[in-house]
Amino acid sequence: RVQFMTVVDSQQVPANPAPDDEPLSSLAMAASNLEAQQWAVDRAEQVLTELVQSAVSEGLETGSIAAVAGMTTEEIEKISAEGTAS
C-alpha cells in the first residue's frame, strides 16, 4: 500500500490516516465535516443576503423583511447598503 505523507509542525504524518489509526481518522473526519458545514453556512448567508437585497429592491418594507428573516431592521439596512455599494 502506498501512503502519502505531509508535513505538520516539522513532522511527517500520513496525508490520509490508515483505517487502523482511529484517533487521526476521527480527527480527519471531524475536520472534514466542519469544513463542509462552514461552506454550507457561507452559502446560506450568501443566498439570504441576495434575497434580502432583492426584497429591498422590490420595495418591500424593511420591518417586514426583518421579521421574516429573523433579523433586525439595522441588519437589513446594512445588507441593503452593501448591495447598493457594489
Side-chain angles (χ1 to χ4, degrees):
R1 173 179 171 210
V2 176
Q3 188 168 0
F4 294 97
M5 303 295 281
T6 189
V7 176
V8 176
D9 293 332
S10 303
Q11 296 179 348
Q12 285 191 341
V13 295
N16 294 313
D20 59 344
D21 199 355
E22 187 62 34
L24 286 179
S25 181
S26 296
L27 179 61
M29 182 62 73
S32 177
N33 287 339
L34 177 60
E35 184 175 353
Q37 293 299 319
Q38 287 173 330
W39 184 90
V41 168
D42 290 345
R43 179 67 185 132
E45 288 175 343
Q46 179 184 6
V47 169
L48 179 61
T49 296
E50 291 168 2
L51 291 171
V52 166
Q53 289 170 343
S54 177
V56 169
S57 70
E58 290 175 17
L60 295 174
E61 196 261 321
T62 305
S64 297
I65 298 169
V68 170
M71 302 172 84
T72 66
T73 55
E74 292 80 14
E75 290 170 318
I76 299 301
E77 291 165 0
K78 181 180 178 195
I79 290 171
S80 176
E82 291 169 358
T84 57
S86 22

